[in-house]
Amino acid sequence: MNQAFWSDKRVLLTGHTGFKGAWLTLWLQRLGAKVTGVSLAAEEPSLFRTLEPWRDLDHYEHDIRDADGLATIVRDAKPDIVLHLAAQALVRVGYADPVGTFETNVMGTVNLLDAVRRYPSAEAVLIVTTDKVYRPNATSAHREDDPLGGLEPYAASKSCAELATTAWIASYAKNGGPAIVTARAGNVIGGGDWAADRLVPDIVRAFSAGQPVRIRNPQAIRPWQFVLEPLQGYLMYVEALCSGDRKPPPALNFGPDKSVMASVAEVIAAAQTLWGSDQSWISDEGEHPSETAILTLDSDLAGKSLGWRGHLDLKQSLGQTLDWYRRHREAKDMRALSIEQIEAYAEKSRRV
């Protein structure tokens, strides 16, 4: 990445109090960007609160479903870059609250796109969706031109957000305005994620309590990746959009190398070794919402168009993640450790 590009850039980041959003806020500030964050209040425990104090952060606790309020923030912030991460991001919450999930993920995205259209200042807008936007296909890794069509509320809402973004590009790009793209990432792991029904936080909670992990589908395969991997992809994507060179594609996958794909049971076994726990997992009996058994991404296009690729294997990703949680239990300086992980990852990327 080009640090000079980000220095003094005005960046509007939605979802900055979330897991990925907090990591991205910290990284952007290390790059010298001036960040305006828009998000709901941080839930506790909170990575966002753990990483305080924030430097020169314009912090707005605002629901993106409120279109007028969001437009006012965009107008006042005058962003050069817009990064949209705010979302209802949990599959099981989507089943429990489908209306709220669609309102946030679809109309929240539409509200942001319309605010940027009404108050033009941005050069690039990146909308983050998910690997689950694709119509399920267990026979091959999803490519960017595969059909969209999630089959449960969360996935479907993100598919709709993709369609809304495509409609915005087709309807308004001819009148100028920012370059708008979407980014689809895999199952992200890293320190500071405390959400329920996510594998690594569930592992940490169970192992810390000396209990086995309760698992719904141990054979489910996902594209696991360390949090800084897709975040670097997002930043590289924006740099490419703003360069004078050939523009990158309108949508890109950011998933790990095929060798990093692993089942839930394999991830738990690797975590058991790294954590030093004698606990493993037990089946969580009962009725559970339907979930895709195999979900993999083909990220070759991001490599060809941006030069992006993942740098960490599963053991390295889990190792850094579990080390973060272990040090958090020891009451270490987690802001310093998080900065250390960012700088080490950036250095590794430069060397490759």
Side-chain angles (χ1 to χ4, degrees):
M1 294 183 302
N2 179 5
Q3 182 165 352
F5 172 85
W6 293 99
S7 181
D8 292 327
K9 275 284 191 300
R10 297 188 305 274
V11 179
L12 179 74
L13 172 60
T14 71
H16 69 297
T17 64
F19 165 55
K20 287 169 69 177
W23 275 103
L24 187 52
T25 301
L26 186 61
W27 201 346
L28 284 167
Q29 290 196 333
R30 300 294 294 176
L31 291 169
K34 299 182 181 300
V35 180
T36 297
V38 183
S39 185
L40 297 177
E43 297 181 353
E44 297 298 337
S46 164
L47 176 63
F48 179 77
R49 298 299 182 202
T50 299
L51 297 181
E52 290 177 331
W54 294 101
R55 174 177 54 81
D56 300 328
L57 172 67
D58 288 333
H59 169 72
Y60 291 89
E61 292 184 3
H62 184 81
D63 192 326
I64 60 173
R65 293 176 291 183
D66 174 5
D68 291 339
L70 182 59
T72 299
I73 294 171
V74 171
R75 181 197 66 192
D76 294 346
K78 297 180 176 61
D80 302 307
I81 306 295
V82 176
L83 303 172
H84 180 46
L85 275 68
Q88 191 301 97
L90 298 174
V91 171
R92 286 164 70 92
V93 173
Y95 276 105
D97 181 18
V99 173
T101 297
F102 276 92
E103 287 176 343
T104 298
N105 294 350
V106 183
M107 290 311 301
T109 300
V110 168
N111 291 340
L112 178 67
L113 289 169
D114 197 49
V116 172
R117 180 183 68 87
R118 289 167 57 189
Y119 300 108
S121 64
E123 188 175 354
V125 178
L126 185 142
I127 307 294
V128 175
T129 60
T130 173
D131 55 3
K132 297 175 180 64
V133 297
Y134 296 107
R135 187 180 303 164
N137 171 16
T139 61
S140 60
H142 288 295
R143 298 169 59 91
E144 288 84 353
D145 56 359
D146 282 354
L148 302 180
L151 299 183
E152 38 82 9
Y154 166 68
S157 71
K158 284 295 198 173
S159 301
C160 291
E162 290 268 358
L163 293 173
T165 302
T166 299
W168 234 255
I169 296 169
S171 299
Y172 303 112
K174 60 180 178 290
N175 299 323
I180 304 174
V181 295
T182 63
R184 305 157 184 173
N187 281 47
V188 174
I189 63 175
D193 184 3
W194 303 108
D197 291 323
R198 282 190 180 147
L199 181 59
V200 171
D202 286 348
I203 289 172
V204 170
R205 282 187 284 264
F207 286 0
S208 297
Q211 299 173 351
V213 190
R214 301 183 67 87
I215 296 300
R216 300 186 301 274
N217 186 358
Q219 300 311 314
I221 294 175
R222 295 289 183 267
W224 314 99
Q225 62 186 153
F226 189 57
V227 61
L228 300 181
E229 304 261 50
L231 296 187
Q232 184 185 56
Y234 302 163
L235 298 177
M236 292 174 67
Y237 204 175
V238 168
E239 287 184 25
L241 286 173
C242 297
S243 73
D245 301 331
R246 182 170 60 88
K247 298 302 182 186
L252 285 175
N253 291 336
F254 294 98
D257 183 83
K258 297 177 182 62
S259 64
V260 187
M261 307 295 183
S263 71
V264 168
E266 290 170 332
V267 172
I268 296 173
Q272 184 182 17
T273 299
L274 290 166
W275 190 267
S277 173
D278 57 3
Q279 302 292 333
S280 184
W281 60 272
I282 59 174
S283 179
D284 189 357
E285 303 294 342
E287 293 187 8
H288 301 291
S290 176
E291 296 181 74
T292 303
I294 300 176
L295 202 167
T296 57
L297 287 178
D298 183 327
S299 302
D300 287 349
L301 189 57
K304 294 174 182 175
S305 58
L306 303 179
W308 176 89
R309 69 177 181 86
H311 299 290
L312 305 179
D313 60 25
L314 180 60
K315 183 178 179 180
Q316 291 169 324
S317 298
L318 271 175
Q320 292 202 47
T321 299
L322 296 178
D323 183 56
W324 194 100
Y325 286 108
R326 187 179 290 107
R327 296 208 205 176
H328 182 269
R329 292 181 66 201
E330 297 168 354
K332 301 296 185 181
D333 184 340
M334 302 315 297
R335 178 182 173 85
L337 175 62
S338 301
I339 291 172
E340 179 184 313
Q341 289 192 344
I342 288 173
E343 294 182 346
Y345 180 81
E347 179 60 29
K348 182 178 180 67
S349 300
R350 282 192 291 269
R351 292 199 308 267
V352 174

